[in-house]
């Protein structure tokens, strides 16, 4: 990997992959919903939409056509911690992709008419999310687990905040947060580092207006709700059982990650075997982590018929208790490590996934190589795993449910 | 690409990708829901589930663990025309992956208890699909467009057919349809063709029982409904406007594919620009093709607030009429061809996508190379595109809706 930091702070990271005929590039800005005040709720995502609407050199259609007419992909997404604009193209089209992305991020016009048109689109996007029970349950659990912190807020904003969002506020958000020192350009595949550094110089010269954003609040010590329920007329209940967990740079997350693999990391995991294979109670069940730079969440997720919910939750609670009491076997731990290694190598096979990894690592300040991360997973001991289980599952969990009804046995035990 | 046909008819196709450290392999069986009688509705998918439940050498957990404990992926899916079992692993784990897949497909025990456990899981899977409005609208439109043909039936079966499915019927389905001559093994990445041919010999020796399946019925000339509606208490309406289209081997599909690109193939397409960019009426709108070996469907899809449905449908109808009347511009056609070429190259970048392409091509009898297919797209003329638009949009469409209500303006025009 090559890395260059330009005079005003823009970081460029690249990884050349010989034999790749394609090129993936992303512009990462260190701003997401956790950095937003109540009045700006959804501003990062709103801005992401608006930057596709036209620059001094290109209309919205010309922006899209420049990449799509060559079969490439041009898109963007906003998370709670950052915003990413990216393109994936044939190697010969790399210059065009970089030029379009740089143009969008530095020279968008942000006209009032465009802000109003995107307001309608985003309100539709909110309605679309609200129609998906699995998204609703994820959002309400995050809101409960990260209560009082910016990490609980939805990326997309609320209908009220989006209705009230002005052009002026969107532009101020852009000028305040898209500072060269908060921007990273990452590329992988058939890439020429020095050429890319020259091409993105405009990003290092972006004008800045407004105070430097203050560091975001860590997780406050507030009481979290034990049970959050949304009633929906659907056939299945969507359930998430969540515990506050380790952040990205917390050394404990290696044990927490392996614990997720043993308990719910695939069809041979304890929860899948107990709940689906042995009892046929649900189509699937997973355990996993959600990690942000300074906090995280460890959770079990499944969907089921309402009359099976109490039984499944009992099986899950029993399995978590067993790990706290007895730990895991040497074979389970070895398999989890081997699984983590294989998954990691397989998941960074393509230029686009490689670009995503080096871009977010540079943005969030993660200096570890993949090999270093894997070595740390390999070093986790059985006792470390048991201690992390005791720490995680010793906390009071939050149970999130979206479904037609909540059996009283569930309310009694988990409410 | 290398290709070997074994004595009883098993076909093995491979594509070695130098510099790949991974290996993707799939076993394809030429059976899906279109080959099922009413009593067997869902049998292909049911069988796919049951083949993960244990062989003479391995329990269900050992099947999963063999691949997952190395970080690999082992999974399967069933379509209307075929069933695929696949694995994606690090190159060193290729032998294990091939051994597990061969073992599952040839030597599963298919115990009654496993059939009953999977019955419960599949009934849950049906409920899960029923909770997703975008899946419901897709299924009901397919049912209408392919009315009277096996292509309209849901892959997963119905609650009644799944409740009644016996172990005996599942085994007979397996023995009748998993004939060596209907099986294909495909692999891509770091692969040794000759070694793979040796490893899968057991698939060529599979026992066969029951009559050779008869060729499936082509599309019958029945009257298709103009409007199919499912009422759901959701915020948005999911809409699909569909026309019967060309099959995979029909030369007309090249013009139809380019037409989909011009009208709804991304953010610079006519429909996206008119409906979202200019009018902000919806979050997104796409046009695309669904193709089977002998029939297909050309459709426009979007979701919107109910009170915007009539307006959007008017804009769509107007855009389709314009293409029939005036064709597309030379620039639009050139861009659509360039887009098709770039997308094709980008989409076959990974070993797993390459494996999928060569496997389905061998199974369905598509002997064309990618370059040949792309050359045919390049040769499409403006007049050919206009004629295909006239042919497609001259048919009566089927409009599928899932949502809270249907405005009367929509019923009047489209019912």
């Amino acid at each position: 990997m090559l890395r260059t930091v330009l005079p005003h702070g823009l970081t460029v990271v690249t990884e050349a992959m010989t034999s790749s005929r394609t090129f993936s590039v992303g512009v990462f800005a260190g701003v997401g919903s956790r950095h937003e005040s109540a009045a700006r709720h959804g501003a990062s995502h709103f801005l992401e939409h608006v930057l596709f609407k036209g620059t001094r050199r290109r209309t919205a259609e010309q922006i899209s056509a420049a990449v799509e007419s060559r079969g490439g992909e041009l898109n963007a997404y906003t998370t709670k911690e950052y915003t990413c604009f990216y393109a994936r193209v044939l190697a010969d089209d790399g210059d065009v992709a970089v030029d379009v992305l740089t143009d969008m991020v530095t020279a968008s016009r942000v006209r009032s008419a465009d802000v109003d048109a995107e307001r309608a689109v985003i309100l539709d996007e909110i309605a679309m999310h609200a129609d998906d029970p699995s998204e609703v349950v994820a959002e309400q659990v995050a809101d409960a687990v990260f209560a009082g912190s910016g990490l609980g807020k939805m990326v997309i904003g609320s209908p009220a905040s989006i209705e009230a969002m002005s052009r002026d506020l969107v532009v101020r958000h852009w000028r305040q947060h898209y500072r060269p020192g908060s921007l990273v350009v990452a590329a992988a595949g058939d890439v020429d580092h020095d050429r890319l550094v020259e091409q993105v110089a405009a990003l290092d010269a972006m004008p800045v207006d407004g105070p430097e954003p203050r560091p975001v609040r860590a997780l406050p010590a507030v009481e979290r709700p034990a049970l959050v329920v949304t009633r929906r007329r659907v056939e299945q209940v969507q359930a998430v059982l969540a515990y506050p967990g380790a952040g990205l740079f917390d050394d404990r997350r290696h044990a927490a990650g392996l614990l997720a693999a043993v308990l719910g990391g695939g069809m041979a995991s304890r929860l899948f075997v107990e709940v689906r294979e042995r009892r046929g109670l649900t189509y699937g069940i997973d355990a996993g982590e959600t990690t942000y730079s300074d906090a995280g969440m460890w959770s079990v997720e499944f969907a089921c018929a309402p009359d099976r919910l109490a039984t499944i939750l009992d099986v899950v609670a029993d399995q978590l208790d067993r790990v706290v009491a007895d730990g895991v076997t040497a074979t389970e731990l070895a398999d989890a490590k081997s699984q983590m290694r294989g998954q990691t190598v397989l998941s960074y096979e393509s230029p686009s996934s490689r670009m995503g990894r080096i871009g977010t690592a540079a943005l969030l300040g993660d200096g570890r190589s993949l090999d270093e991360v894997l070595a740390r997973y390999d070093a986790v001991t059985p006792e470390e795993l048991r201690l992390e289980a005791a720490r995680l599952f010793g906390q009071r969990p939050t149970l999130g449910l979206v479904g037609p009804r909540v059996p009283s046995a569930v309310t009694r035990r988990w409410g």
Side-chain angles (χ1 to χ4, degrees), chain A:
Chain A
M1 196 189 75
L2 297 175
R3 179 191 177 96
T4 300
V5 179
L6 274 68
H8 297 105
L10 174 72
T11 300
V12 180
V13 286
T14 62
E15 190 164 336
M17 298 166 75
T18 53
S19 89
S20 175
R21 295 165 61 191
T22 70
F23 173 79
S24 284
V25 58
V27 177
F28 295 78
V31 60
S33 53
R34 79 179 298 183
H35 307 100
E36 296 163 353
S37 62
R40 287 197 188 178
H41 184 199
S44 307
H45 173 260
F46 204 127
L47 175 60
E48 176 229 296
H49 272 238
V50 167
L51 296 187
F52 279 84
K53 301 295 285 184
T55 69
R56 290 190 289 272
R57 288 196 282 141
R58 289 180 174 94
T59 64
E61 290 150 57
Q62 286 166 338
I63 287 174
S64 306
V67 173
E68 286 182 0
S69 69
R70 293 169 167 87
E73 185 190 357
L74 175 73
N75 214 330
Y77 59 91
T78 307
T79 74
K80 295 186 180 184
E81 295 199 294
Y82 63 91
T83 309
C84 173
F85 300 82
Y86 66 93
R88 180 170 165 258
V89 294
L90 297 180
D92 286 348
D93 301 324
D95 286 1
V96 177
V98 172
D99 187 46
V100 169
L101 287 171
T102 306
D103 192 28
M104 288 165 63
V105 171
T106 61
S108 277
R109 295 179 63 189
V110 190
R111 296 178 307 180
S112 288
D114 296 331
V115 170
D116 288 336
E118 287 311 298
R119 187 192 320 284
V121 169
I122 293 168
L123 290 170
D124 265 4
E125 201 180 347
I126 292 176
M128 199 170 71
H129 285 291
D131 279 347
D132 184 336
S134 65
E135 294 201 25
V136 173
V137 76
E139 289 294 350
Q140 75 180 10
V141 167
D143 187 44
V145 169
F146 298 116
S149 121
L151 289 174
K153 290 193 304 184
M154 283 179 67
V155 169
I156 200 171
S158 68
S161 71
I162 298 305
E163 289 283 7
M165 193 78 61
S166 67
R167 184 217 174 238
D168 181 53
L169 196 150
V170 171
V171 170
R172 275 191 281 134
H173 197 67
W174 184 28
R175 292 299 170 214
Q176 185 184 0
H177 289 280
Y178 282 53
R179 313 169 90 84
S182 306
L183 295 177
V184 169
V185 175
D190 185 354
V191 54
D192 178 335
H193 183 83
D194 294 338
R195 182 171 173 73
L196 181 63
V197 169
E198 280 172 32
Q199 284 179 298
V200 298
L203 288 164
D204 194 50
M206 277 195 76
V208 171
D209 193 12
E212 180 134 16
R214 283 165 304 168
V216 297
R217 220 166 14 166
L219 269 183
V222 296
E223 195 179 342
R224 291 181 303 274
L227 182 62
V228 281
V229 178
T230 299
R231 295 282 290 269
R232 283 287 162 90
R233 288 171 184 261
V234 286
E235 298 207 26
Q236 294 211 309
V237 181
Q238 300 280 339
V240 177
L241 181 68
Y243 296 86
L248 196 55
F249 303 117
D250 192 324
D251 191 50
R252 287 193 327 238
R253 77 173 283 246
H254 303 97
L258 294 171
L259 197 57
V262 171
L263 279 164
M267 295 189 287
S269 68
R270 287 192 180 191
L271 290 173
F272 193 90
V273 169
E274 291 298 328
V275 174
R276 168 158 166 185
E277 290 297 326
R278 300 233 164 108
R279 296 179 178 82
L281 291 167
T282 171
Y283 178 69
I285 181 164
D286 295 295
E289 292 177 286
T290 309
T291 45
Y292 300 106
S293 51
D294 56 349
M297 184 171 98
W298 194 104
S299 59
V300 174
E301 301 176 10
F302 58 92
C304 68
D307 58 4
R308 294 187 190 152
L309 180 61
T311 309
I312 296 177
L313 286 168
D314 284 347
V315 175
V316 171
D318 180 54
Q319 289 296 322
L320 303 190
D321 286 349
R322 280 169 194 248
V323 174
V324 174
D326 307 324
V328 304
T329 68
T331 307
E332 282 178 317
L333 182 56
D335 281 355
K337 288 175 180 178
S338 153
Q339 178 178 348
M340 188 70 77
R341 176 172 291 276
Q343 278 178 349
T344 304
V345 175
L346 284 162
S347 70
Y348 294 117
E349 188 181 28
S350 70
S352 53
S353 58
R354 209 76 72 94
M355 177 277 283
R357 152 133 184 112
I358 63 176
T360 53
L363 190 78
L364 301 177
D366 185 354
R368 300 167 301 177
S369 71
L370 267 187
D371 284 338
E372 286 166 341
V373 173
L374 288 172
R376 181 62 191 92
Y377 278 110
D378 268 343
V380 171
T381 64
E383 181 56 13
E384 210 177 331
L385 208 67
R386 211 193 55 74
L387 282 176
E388 178 60 16
R391 198 197 63 81
L392 273 177
F393 309 141
Q395 305 173 103
R396 196 168 81 146
T398 292
L399 175 63
L401 302 172
V402 173
R405 58 193 164 78
V406 181
S408 56
V410 171
T411 318
R412 275 197 308 276
R413 172 152 188 191
W414 300 89

